[in-house]
Every structure is written in structure tokens, then in C-alpha cells.
């Protein structure tokens, strides 16, 4: 018995991306359906609403070989991971790869300035971005860079923002902002003002917020720590101040590390003391960007032993961390149990992305 086309549509939008890629060969109708933008949008919406379709993407470097390895879980129980194969371009051009995103199932792989790739792990689809031809500040040297990824809902366009740290002739660091449009496949210079300086180091300092906004941990002109955010549709920057008591543990203020990560469509701030053997970790969430007194402290976790740094949250509030041996572990606050995930890497080089499957192509 042949099913009506609308019924087939509904059934297929609830299947994993890998299965749908195989089904493209079944018949011409299925092939055109799976390529249809309305189908792709519905499929992403259906899977995004289900916790069991979350995947964990891991980037690490081997202790012995120093080889870069990217692995993606095929389910939400971490039973099986598949290493991702890449063309030689990645090994030739990229030193350390940063994972930016995801946004609508797209991850941005960033090396040093101008070495950027958009990638959809679900369908193994990638695009090497063209190098920016924008004139850099005359006489300056590019000393570093940071990146952002997001979706412009007004133009139905995915964008990459590249922030270049240029050292001028008079030894002053000047930001040059460049924006890439996937629709246009080109770069253009951003002429607005950046109201804060990005603070980055060996930790998680940036994230995508609700697909349309990208956030960095930063410092404003008055040396106050802030969340610097950029809206991809309006192309405007905004600062959101952090609570003044955020770095206080006990009765004294101790040097602490602040990490911003996504969790349940919110911006979560993780605060901990890097040098402590027994670590306490404070969890804060924000209700709205750009609003004062918008932070709420959720909980304090700890003490945790042999923990180096937190990397992100899993679907039910479990905390994914790197331990002091460079191993990836997951901590469940509900039962205070720590589970090892079997992944080792060079200390400080582990990165994770909580990934949602998508059929969206970057080509």
C-alpha cells in the first residue's frame, strides 16, 4: 500500500540524518524531498526538540602522535564514537583547530586567521571559506584572532565573524572585524565599534546563543568583565555586565576562572578556582542579554578531585570536564558520580561541542 506524500513527509522528518542520506537513493521523490528546504527545516525542528538526538563532538590531540582527532558520538549514551575523516587541507593549513558553534547543525573549524571551514558532521559536508581580500591596517601585524558563527534570520543567511588583533606601528592593538556571508560567499569589513576586548586563554570563552547571537567573555573600557555579544541579523555589539560577587568563594575573593557555555537555550557561566586541588564550581545563568541584575546563581558543585577544567553541559545538567590526566569525564550532580568517557588528549587541548543533527548543507 502506498502512503500519501504528506504522511511520508512527516515520517521522514523524524528520522536521523544518517538514515535519510541513505534513503536519498530509494527513489526520485525521496531524493527531492530530502533536498527540500521546508523538509530540512522541519527535520531540524523535530530533532532539536528531542534530547535523545543530541550528539557529542570531541576534538583532541594524541599524547604520543600529536595527531588531531575529531570524534562524533552516534547516540546520546556515548557507547560508540566515529572518528571523522578530513581532506589533507586540514593537516596542511591548520595548527590547533578550534570548534565554534554549532548553529543549525553547522560547526565552524578555525585555525589561524583566514583558515576557516564550515562543516556539517551529520552529512559530512564541508566548505573551505575563501580567504578575505580585505585590506588590513597599513603597517600592522596580525597577532591573533577570534571567531564567531551565527544565523541571520532576516536574510536566511549563516555568517562567520573574524576578529583580527592587529598590532599597529605604535604598538597598539587594534581590532579589525570582517564578516563572511554564506549566501554571498564573500567577506566584507565591519565598520562599527567593538565596546569590549575579548579575553581568551586555555578555556571556553565563547558560544552561540539561540543561533542568532554569538557571545565572548570580555573586558570593557572600565576593566569590568562582561559578556560581549554580536547579533548576526542587526550586526550590532552589546555588553552585559557580570555580577560583582561572582568570583567570591567563602569569605574571601580568590583568583577564579570564568567559562561561558550553552545549556538549555541559556548562557551559563561556570566559575571555579584553577589552582585548587579540590575544586568548587559555581553555576550561574542569565535571563536576558543587555539587562542589569539578570544573573541567577543556580548551584555550587563540589568538592571535585582531580578535575582540571569544565568544558560544557550534557542534556540533563551533567557536567563534562577534563580531569588532571587529560581524560574526558562526565559528572552527574544528582548522584555525584563521575564517569570516564575513554578519551585522552594533550592537557588543555580537549574541546567539545554539544551537537544537534541537521541536513543543512554549507555548499
Amino acid at each position: 500500500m502506498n502512503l500519501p506524500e504528506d504522511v511520508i513527509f512527516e515520517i521522514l522528518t523524524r528520522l536521523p540524518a544518517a538514515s535519510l542520506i541513505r534513503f536519498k537513493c530509494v527513489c526520485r521523490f525521496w531524493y527531492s524531498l530530502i533536498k527540500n528546504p521546508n523538509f530540512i527545516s522541519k527535520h531540524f525542528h523535530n530533532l532539536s526538540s528531542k534530547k535523545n538526538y543530541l550528539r557529542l563532538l570531541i576534538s583532541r590531540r594524541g599524547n604520543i602522535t600529536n595527531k588531531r582527532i575529531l570524534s562524533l558520538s552516534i547516540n546520546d549514551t556515548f557507547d560508540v564514537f566515529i572518528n571523522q575523516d578530513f581532506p589533507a587541507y586540514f593537516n596542511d593549513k591548520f595548527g590547533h583547530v578550534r570548534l565554534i558553534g554549532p548553529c543549525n547543525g553547522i560547526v565552524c573549524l578555525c585555525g589561524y586567521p583566514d583558515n576557516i571551514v564550515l562543516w556539517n558532521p551529520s552529512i559530512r559536508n564541508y566548505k573551505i571559506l575563501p580567504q578575505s581580500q580585505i585590506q588590513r591596517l597599513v603597517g600592522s601585524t596580525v597577532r591573533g584572532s577570534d571567531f564567531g558563527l551565527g544565523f541571520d534570520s532576516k536574510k536566511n543567511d549563516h555568517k562567520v565573524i573574524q576578529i583580527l588583533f592587529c598590532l599597529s606601528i605604535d604598538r597598539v592593538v587594534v581590532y579589525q572585524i570582517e564578516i563572511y556571508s554564506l549566501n554571498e560567499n564573500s567577506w566584507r569589513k565591519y565598520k562599527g565599534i567593538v565596546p569590549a576586548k575579548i579575553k581568551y586563554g586555555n578555556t571556553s570563552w565563547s558560544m552561540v546563543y539561540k543561533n542568532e547571537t554569538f557571545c565572548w567573555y570580555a573586558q570593557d573600557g572600565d576593566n569590568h568583565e562582561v559578556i560581549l555579544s554580536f547579533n548576526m541579523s542587526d550586526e550590532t555589539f552589546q555588553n552585559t555586565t557580570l555580577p560583582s560577587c561572582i568570583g567570591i568563594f567563602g569569605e574571601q575573593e580568590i583568583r577564579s576562572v570564568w567559562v561561558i557555555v550553552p545549556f538549555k537555550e541559556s548562557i551559563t557561566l561556570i566559575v571555579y578556582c584553577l589552582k585548587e586541588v579540590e575544586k568548587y564550581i559555581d553555576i550561574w545563568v542569565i535571563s536576558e542579554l543587555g539587562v542589569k541584575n539578570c544573573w541567577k546563581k543556580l548551584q555550587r558543585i563540589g568538592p571535585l578531585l582531580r578535575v582540571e577544567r569544565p568544558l560544557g553541559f550534557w542534556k540533563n545538567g551533567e557536567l563534562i570536564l577534563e580531569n588532571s590526566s587529560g581524560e574526558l569525564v562526565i559528572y552527574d550532580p544528582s548522584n555525584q558520580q563521575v564517569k570516564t568517557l575513554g578519551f585522552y588528549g594533550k592537557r588543555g587541548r580537549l574541546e567539545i561541542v554539544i551537537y544537534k543533527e541537521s541536513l543543512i548543507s554549507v555548499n
Side-chain angles (χ1 to χ4, degrees):
M1 181 178 66
N2 293 326
L3 295 174
E5 290 184 359
D6 59 337
V7 175
I8 295 175
F9 183 99
E10 285 297 324
I11 292 173
L12 294 183
T13 59
R14 302 176 188 280
L15 297 180
S19 299
L20 291 173
I21 295 302
R22 293 195 298 269
F23 291 164
K24 285 198 302 182
C25 302
V26 171
C27 66
R28 187 172 297 176
F29 169 68
W30 283 29
Y31 179 86
S32 61
L33 182 64
I34 294 168
K35 288 283 190 178
N36 185 291
N38 292 330
F39 177 88
I40 291 172
S41 177
K42 175 82 173 188
H43 175 264
F44 183 69
H45 174 76
N46 284 346
L47 265 60
S48 295
S49 62
K50 299 177 181 179
K51 287 183 179 180
N52 61 330
Y53 277 101
L54 285 179
R55 303 292 180 257
L56 183 63
L57 180 63
I58 303 171
S59 172
R60 68 194 191 280
R61 276 191 177 274
N63 283 322
I64 299 175
T65 64
N66 199 36
K67 181 182 178 181
R68 180 169 51 267
I69 306 170
L70 285 162
S71 305
L72 180 67
S73 65
I74 66 169
N75 54 36
D76 63 334
T77 57
F78 308 140
D79 295 331
V80 180
F81 283 81
I82 297 178
N83 290 345
Q84 305 298 300
D85 296 323
F86 290 105
Y89 174 86
F90 286 81
N91 294 321
D92 295 340
K93 295 288 187 180
F94 283 44
H96 173 60
V97 173
R98 279 190 61 203
L99 302 181
I100 307 293
C103 175
N104 294 329
I106 296 173
V107 177
C108 188
L109 303 174
C110 304
Y112 198 63
D114 298 319
N115 289 322
I116 305 169
V117 172
L118 292 179
W119 174 48
N120 184 334
S122 300
I123 57 178
R124 301 202 170 193
N125 171 247
Y126 72 93
K127 179 182 180 65
I128 300 170
L129 300 196
Q131 288 205 354
S132 169
Q133 301 301 314
I134 298 171
Q135 177 68 46
R136 305 285 157 79
L137 185 66
V138 177
S140 68
T141 305
V142 177
R143 301 302 297 267
S145 60
D146 213 310
F147 307 90
L149 171 69
F151 181 67
D152 181 344
S153 60
K154 294 179 180 179
K155 297 182 179 179
N156 193 31
D157 190 12
H158 289 86
K159 295 178 178 178
V160 175
I161 179 170
Q162 178 171 235
I163 303 177
L164 302 172
F165 309 140
C166 303
L167 187 65
S168 65
I169 297 175
D170 51 1
R171 313 299 293 176
V172 175
V173 176
V174 180
Y175 281 9
Q176 177 162 314
I177 315 297
E178 300 173 357
I179 299 174
Y180 170 83
S181 161
L182 184 58
N183 286 354
E184 305 277 337
N185 192 32
S186 63
W187 293 88
R188 57 186 170 81
K189 189 174 181 179
Y190 177 75
K191 298 180 180 179
I193 302 298
V194 184
K197 294 181 178 180
I198 295 171
K199 297 184 70 175
Y200 65 98
N202 201 11
T203 184
S204 303
W205 65 88
S206 63
M207 59 166 280
V208 176
Y209 175 55
K210 294 184 177 179
N211 281 337
E212 199 155 331
T213 302
F214 198 86
C215 302
W216 297 266
Y217 170 47
Q219 192 172 59
D220 66 14
D222 297 321
N223 294 324
H224 295 142
E225 273 72 19
V226 299
I227 300 295
L228 173 68
S229 57
F230 182 79
N231 184 286
M232 296 290 173
S233 295
D234 299 334
E235 294 194 351
T236 55
F237 283 99
Q238 183 181 51
N239 283 346
T240 303
T241 57
L242 302 182
S244 57
C245 60
I246 211 162
I248 298 176
F249 287 80
E251 298 181 353
Q252 59 179 336
E253 188 171 351
I254 305 174
R255 180 175 176 81
S256 56
V257 178
W258 303 350
V259 175
I260 57 171
V261 295
F263 179 56
K264 292 184 177 179
E265 301 298 321
S266 297
I267 297 174
T268 306
L269 185 68
I270 303 175
V271 186
Y272 66 101
C273 298
L274 184 64
K275 300 297 183 181
E276 296 294 318
V277 177
E278 291 188 346
K279 285 186 173 60
Y280 287 90
I281 298 174
D282 285 351
I283 311 296
W284 296 72
V285 293
I286 189 173
S287 56
E288 186 178 355
L289 287 170
V291 178
K292 291 185 177 180
N293 303 319
C294 56
W295 289 94
K296 178 182 178 181
K297 185 176 179 181
L298 284 187
Q299 61 179 319
R300 170 169 288 182
I301 296 172
L304 298 178
L305 291 173
R306 298 185 65 249
V307 167
E308 188 71 17
R309 61 194 181 106
L311 299 174
F313 287 99
W314 190 234
K315 57 183 182 179
N316 293 317
E318 303 94 329
L319 193 58
I320 301 176
L321 311 107
E322 177 185 345
N323 69 14
S324 55
S325 301
E327 183 180 16
L328 204 61
V329 300
I330 185 167
Y331 171 78
D332 188 344
S334 65
N335 56 25
Q336 299 183 353
Q337 296 295 310
V338 177
K339 174 185 175 182
T340 60
L341 299 183
F343 286 93
Y344 287 86
K346 283 196 169 183
R347 288 180 60 182
R349 291 299 192 182
L350 278 170
E351 288 186 72
I352 66 166
V353 163
I354 310 304
Y355 181 75
K356 296 178 181 179
E357 289 191 358
S358 163
L359 293 169
I360 297 172
S361 172
V362 294
N363 289 300

